[in-house]
Amino acid sequence: MSTVIESVVCTFCGCLCDDLTAEVDGGRVVKLRKACSNGLGLFSHYDPAPLPPRVDGREVTWQAAISEAARILDQADNPLIYGLSSTAGEAQRKAIALADKLGAVIDTTSSVCHGPTGLAMQAVGEPTCTLGEVRNRADLVIFWGCNPAESHLRHFSRYSVSARGTLTPGGKRDRTVVVVDVRPTASSRAADLFLQIAPGKDYEVLTTLRALLKGRPVATEAVGGLAVSQWQALVERMAGCRFGVVHMGMGLTQTGGRDLNVAELFALVAELNQHTRFAVIPMRGHGNVTGADQVMAWQTGYPFAVSFGRGYPRYGPGEFSTVDLLARGEADAALVIASDPTAHLPRAAVRHLEAIPTIVLDPMPTLTAKTARVVLPTACYGLDAPGTAYRMDAVPLRLRPVLPRQRPTDEEVLDQIIEAVQPC
């Protein structure tokens, strides 16, 4: 007999859509309503059956695997804990406690995606709002350097482009959608206005927008491949809207300028609030990557790239960031939690990761797990384990499991490792 569970949260991406309905039969999700194709794949392909842990490719008992993981971490001089973006806040807290006990470096996937956003936030602040405010109030929505039509499939319908809200009952008819990007995308096809800028010119364009907003002259006819008159029209549209929001993506963080691009955007949005109500929301990717930054910040004071090597947290983007640490060959052991660095990091970093003893906690098979010394298959938060995750706008949501749990959670496994390791 099947069971129907409502108000299910999908943890695939930072939208954390919380309106899904799951039908469960025989310990598997057989039907999922309202989900996008990404969420459907996550729920329908996950098999919650218990899997034995492995050490050097051999199946072992959980106690043996925990003991080997603890031995690796105890013997390391500079262990690295990395990932955290697809696990729950409860497990993230345990990972930080483990890093503290070991004197390890701990880093999240933010350091390779929205790390520059965090640096910009620390430099100039972040004038932001919730996705609910966007849905209910925004009559101008700008997407800069992102393509949610393909990366966050329900963002348009739930929160932004066509979402119907209190002050936007007509959905798309009640708002203007602008896309700024270096090439046409599926998102630009849905926009009322597409501004195609030259690659690497984001900082130049954003500085120009700030100058135009202040009424300063711009001594050139074109900026970023477009006429200044087009940027002037955008500024007037931004300053004249009732409630505007910019959703910015990795097109800003992963091009020349990085955190300086984002800082200029944040400063522009702050200045727009002298004319109207304007906000910015970064388009975060993994389901709880925002939560990883939040938990790291309120536990250590810093959002990512933190070292406990001296007995207290030290912040060092570039020094303690995972890519840099691995590429320089400085980490001598790694604990990877709910992430797959082998599939995503630069080759130099991956080569070193494959050369050192690695421990993987993950509910899914990954490329990193194939070369890891210890593999600990855990439960999947939101599918067969409860937990807490933060949406891309930093709103925490409680995850309801839809399947019976047959595996230990990341939190439980980390607790056992904490008990087994020796203090540094």
Side-chain angles (χ1 to χ4, degrees):
M1 182 176 177
S2 63
T3 302
V4 176
I5 304 170
E6 298 182 343
S7 302
V8 175
V9 179
C10 173
T11 58
F12 184 88
C13 76
C15 286
L16 287 185
C17 298
D18 58 355
D19 62 341
L20 278 58
T21 299
E23 185 176 334
V24 179
D25 192 8
R28 299 291 294 269
V29 175
V30 295
K31 186 177 292 185
L32 192 65
R33 299 183 183 91
K34 297 185 179 180
C36 68
S37 57
N38 289 330
L40 184 62
L42 173 66
F43 278 78
S44 60
H45 294 160
Y46 177 65
D47 184 355
L51 296 173
R54 301 193 307 275
V55 174
D56 292 325
R58 296 177 290 102
E59 294 184 3
V60 298
T61 64
W62 275 96
Q63 186 54 52
I66 296 293
S67 297
E68 178 62 13
R71 185 193 67 80
I72 290 170
L73 296 172
D74 278 333
Q75 291 185 354
D77 292 322
N78 191 29
L80 166 68
I81 300 175
Y82 174 73
L84 307 177
S85 59
S86 294
T87 191
E90 292 79 1
Q92 292 161 354
R93 292 182 64 181
K94 296 296 181 180
I96 296 166
L98 177 59
D100 190 8
K101 187 172 183 179
L102 290 169
V105 172
I106 183 166
D107 190 25
T108 75
T109 57
S110 290
S111 67
V112 295
C113 58
H114 273 277
T117 301
L119 295 176
M121 187 190 310
Q122 293 160 359
V124 301
E126 182 189 39
T128 192
C129 67
T130 67
L131 291 173
E133 290 179 272
V134 177
R135 177 191 182 96
N136 287 303
R137 297 175 179 274
D139 60 331
L140 175 62
V141 180
I142 300 173
F143 296 98
W144 197 306
C146 58
N147 183 18
E150 295 182 339
S151 61
H152 300 74
L153 302 186
R154 297 188 71 208
H155 194 281
F156 281 8
S157 61
R158 289 209 76 208
Y159 305 119
S160 55
V161 174
S162 57
R164 299 175 185 269
T166 304
L167 300 179
T168 55
K172 194 175 188 302
R173 294 194 303 273
D174 290 337
R175 55 173 62 95
T176 301
V177 179
V178 179
V179 170
V180 183
D181 213 331
V182 298
R183 64 180 63 86
T185 63
S187 296
S188 68
R189 290 194 293 272
D192 300 298
L193 175 63
F194 172 47
L195 297 170
Q196 184 172 352
I197 65 173
K201 297 297 183 179
D202 299 276
Y203 183 84
E204 182 179 320
V205 168
L206 288 163
T207 303
T208 299
L209 292 175
R210 292 185 65 194
L212 293 172
L213 181 65
K214 295 177 181 179
R216 306 281 177 82
V218 177
T220 182
E221 293 184 356
V223 176
L226 295 176
V228 170
S229 60
Q230 292 179 269
W231 298 122
Q232 179 67 52
L234 178 62
V235 164
E236 292 173 0
R237 191 185 296 270
M238 295 169 81
C241 73
R242 180 186 64 234
F243 187 108
V245 63
V246 181
H247 293 286
M248 48 80 54
M250 291 172 60
L252 283 179
T253 67
Q254 301 302 306
T255 189
R258 297 181 182 270
D259 59 297
L260 300 179
N261 297 333
V262 185
E264 280 297 291
L265 175 60
F266 285 2
L268 171 63
V269 171
E271 291 160 0
L272 280 165
N273 278 277
Q274 298 175 21
H275 304 269
T276 184
R277 177 72 173 93
F278 228 94
V280 59
I281 299 179
M283 296 291 292
R284 305 306 301 271
H286 296 289
N288 198 26
V289 65
T290 299
D293 292 353
Q294 293 283 330
V295 175
M296 283 278 288
W298 58 259
Q299 288 277 286
T300 72
Y302 310 108
F304 60 93
V306 175
S307 172
F308 284 91
R310 292 183 181 173
Y312 57 88
R314 288 186 297 146
Y315 184 46
E319 181 179 5
F320 304 132
S321 304
T322 295
V323 170
D324 304 276
L325 202 68
L326 291 174
R328 293 194 302 262
E330 294 177 2
D332 55 355
L335 170 59
V336 178
I337 304 169
S339 180
D340 193 9
T342 298
H344 301 105
L345 297 191
R347 186 58 196 158
V350 172
R351 275 198 299 266
H352 185 69
L353 182 66
E354 293 174 342
I356 61 177
T358 302
I359 305 151
V360 170
L361 274 69
D362 207 298
M364 313 291 185
T366 64
L367 289 177
T368 307
K370 288 185 177 180
T371 59
R373 177 76 59 83
V374 180
V375 178
L376 299 157
T378 51
C380 186
Y381 288 99
L383 274 81
D384 56 349
T388 305
Y390 286 72
R391 206 166 57 187
M392 65 170 67
D393 56 352
V395 172
L397 298 175
R398 188 65 182 168
L399 307 178
R400 300 179 59 192
V402 299
L403 302 173
R405 184 159 68 90
Q406 304 178 65
R407 305 183 191 179
T409 64
D410 293 339
E411 180 185 7
E412 292 168 343
V413 173
L414 288 168
D415 246 338
Q416 294 178 56
I417 295 176
I418 291 171
E419 289 296 321
V421 299
Q422 300 299 315
C424 65

